[in-house]
Amino acid sequence: MSDAVVQVSDVHKVYTRGGERIDVLRGLHLEVAAGEFVALMGPSGSGKSTLLNLIGGLDTPTSGRVLVAGRDLTHASSRELARWRAEHVGFVFQFYNLLPVLTAARNVELPLLLTTLARAERRRHVEAALALVGLTDRARHYPAQLSGGQEQRVGIARAIVTDPTLLLCDEPTGDLDRETASEILDLLVALNGRYHKTIVMVTHDAIAAARAGRVVHLDKGRLVEARAA
Amino acid sequence: MKYLHLVWRNLLRRKVRTLFTFLSIVVAFFLFGLLAAVRNGFEAGIEIAGQSRLLTVHKVSIIQPLPKRHLQQILSTPGVAAATHMTWFGGIYQDPKNFFAQLAVDPAGLLEVYPEYLVDEATRERWRATRTGAIAGRKLAERFGWQVGDRVPIRATFWRPRDGKDAFEFDLVGLYAGATAEVDETSFFFHYEYLMERVGDPGLVGWYIVEVEDPARADEVALAIDRTFANSAFETKTATEKAFMQSFAHQVGDTSAILTAIAAIVFFVILLIAGNTMAQAVRERTNEIGVLKTLGYSDRTVTGLVLGESMLVAGVGGLLGLGLVLLAAPGFAKMLEAFLPIFYVPTRDVAIGVGLALLLGLATGGVPAWSAQRLPVVEALRRR
């Protein structure tokens, strides 16, 4: 795959807990092309969240190579990774992870504070992102004043506000009812289809996974199956 | 500046906790300023006491008088530039609680040896010409509402006038001002000759103040003076004015050290309180710190945000405390003028206070900021 945004080659990740060695990822290979929507599925402990963390530059592999958006993350320092994340990755979390002391607009603005954009420009970007997720009228609301679905929309607005190369979603519908989950998935599908955002989504939910363009199954740290949804 | 909103909102997360931490810092720095003013009041005399001025007192105690005839011998001691005498009067003005220093002096000698007492020429002349004339420090006159020309009655205590009348009536011929803020402006000086006239001249004075020609030879001159009166009925002890002041101050303990210790304890307690609050505030937000790092906030930026909170609380609290004590100092000065004639917060201590406020911010935010910086992103995200 020549236009791959994500290239994971022979990646191993080993943790040591209480003197015990845990092989979370065992020689894993994965490629995600630009504009793809990939769902990562697998049982608990299969390594899907660890893989997502490696692709997002939140962690580094024990061995192997992780190349994302043209950058080799394998040996990058934490400072380099932070800067790279700010420029290339948008994260969507299961529990939204909004800062409760900030309004929706201020939460969305957080990644923009790391840029050189002036205040007025930041405001324009925030308004555009909130409009895209359909929450213009909730800009001044605090997370506690929003429903779960609205919180997740704010989370998605925060993830896309910097127009990143890659969206990484960790169980984005895991804390939502079926109807709201469907709305969130509609939004992700639209971002992928209309705005060609490359999305990697970890999920336990087969219905959610079915909305992705490709589903990848992991088990015991290995890729066991990959199929088009 | 773009992070200020985030820092501010984090501080307001627990409003009551932040308010109490803030108030404790305000109070600590108010106390710091107050203690600095008190310490300065104790030390002011020592600081301005010249190394070139000697005090010659009775070898046994300063309350033992010395013969007035010693003056000529002191003046003839090599290295002595000038000398004068002072005698404690210890009278009561209206009420015993209205305490202030009343000293019988030779006006010309006093103003020669103490150039820091600023008296205009007309006042000098009036004082010289008025047998019952007296001058008072500006603050003392202000305290009792005296005007130049007033008659000030003071009742003698241990001095017994020959006519049996205790009251001494002094004519206030003028006021003196201190050349610097540290100069005491609460003393009352009158003619020694007038005192002697009323009590029958026993030929005694309280002590001598000696101006030496060369401060470097002060010890040598002091020794020469004491040697002159050795083995006489009135042996003397001579030392620099500074040494005497220090010895007075040390009679009630090392005031400066005690006050510094109190300030240090207060500061340390505040440090523990504020440090604990900051650490708790950061612990509660471990997950949020993880989120910020995930979004691309570097360890350094996260450290800056945490330190920003502690610096804001400590800095603003410290400055407010110092500002309040500066505003309150004149009021305290009025209240305490009988005990501490010099009372103000020195600029040096204000600067130290500002430095300490910043240091407090760094110290209280330092450990939580360091913990936040070290926290791995994945680990932080896992905590809820």
Side-chain angles (χ1 to χ4, degrees), chain A residues 101-103 106, chain B residues 1-10:
Chain A
V101 293
L102 299 181
T103 60
R106 291 285 191 176
Chain B
M1 283 303 282
K2 58 185 175 182
Y3 298 113
L4 194 63
H5 180 78
L6 180 56
V7 169
W8 180 244
R9 292 298 307 172
N10 274 328

Side-chain angles (χ1 to χ4, degrees), chain A residues 17 53 58-59 78-79 82 85-86 91 93 95 97 99-102 106 110-111 113-115 122 142 158, chain B residues 2-3 5-6 9-10 12-13 287-288 291-301 377-378 381-382 384:
Chain A
R17 278 202 196 113
N53 291 341
L58 298 177
D59 206 351
S78 75
R79 196 174 168 189
R85 283 196 301 272
F91 286 89
F93 304 92
F95 298 108
N97 283 343
L99 268 58
V101 293
L102 299 181
R106 291 285 191 176
L110 280 173
L113 294 178
L114 299 169
T115 68
R122 292 203 301 269
Y142 287 91
R158 182 177 65 185
Chain B
K2 58 185 175 182
Y3 298 113
H5 180 78
L6 180 56
R9 292 298 307 172
N10 274 328
L12 294 185
R13 183 183 295 253
N287 176 262
E288 289 178 26
V291 172
L292 288 176
K293 287 188 174 187
T294 304
L295 298 181
Y297 282 66
S298 65
D299 292 342
R300 192 185 290 182
T301 309
V377 195
V378 177
L381 276 177
R382 216 176 281 141
R384 294 202 66 81

Side-chain angles (χ1 to χ4, degrees), chain A residues 188-210:
Chain A
L188 292 178
V189 168
L191 287 171
N192 174 245
R194 210 175 301 157
Y195 300 98
H196 308 294
K197 287 284 158 210
T198 308
I199 301 176
V200 178
M201 174 178 74
V202 163
T203 184
H204 274 106
D205 182 0
I207 298 173

Side-chain angles (χ1 to χ4, degrees), chain A residues 52-163:
Chain A
L52 199 74
N53 291 341
L54 294 180
I55 294 171
L58 298 177
D59 206 351
T60 48
T62 309
S63 67
R65 190 161 178 242
V66 179
L67 200 71
V68 185
R71 171 78 199 245
D72 188 351
L73 307 180
T74 318
H75 303 295
S77 69
S78 75
R79 196 174 168 189
E80 289 168 336
L81 286 174
R83 193 179 305 159
W84 176 84
R85 283 196 301 272
E87 288 172 12
H88 295 286
V89 190
F91 286 89
V92 179
F93 304 92
Q94 179 179 1
F95 298 108
Y96 332 126
N97 283 343
L98 301 180
L99 268 58
V101 293
L102 299 181
T103 60
R106 291 285 191 176
N107 264 291
V108 175
E109 191 190 16
L110 280 173
L112 294 175
L113 294 178
L114 299 169
T115 68
T116 54
L117 291 177
R119 198 175 167 183
E121 282 182 279
R122 292 203 301 269
R123 197 180 305 141
R124 270 198 298 278
H125 279 71
V126 168
E127 283 167 3
L130 283 172
L132 202 69
V133 298
L135 280 181
T136 303
D137 57 337
R138 293 285 187 272
R140 288 174 177 275
H141 286 61
Y142 287 91
Q145 299 167 319
L146 300 173
S147 68
Q150 287 171 332
E151 279 195 80
Q152 192 58 297
R153 282 169 184 273
V154 175
I156 292 171
R158 182 177 65 185
I160 60 171
V161 73
T162 54
D163 192 21

Side-chain angles (χ1 to χ4, degrees), chain B residues 315-333:
Chain B
V316 176
L319 289 180
L320 184 64
L322 290 170
L324 287 176
V325 79
L326 285 173
L327 284 176
F332 278 110

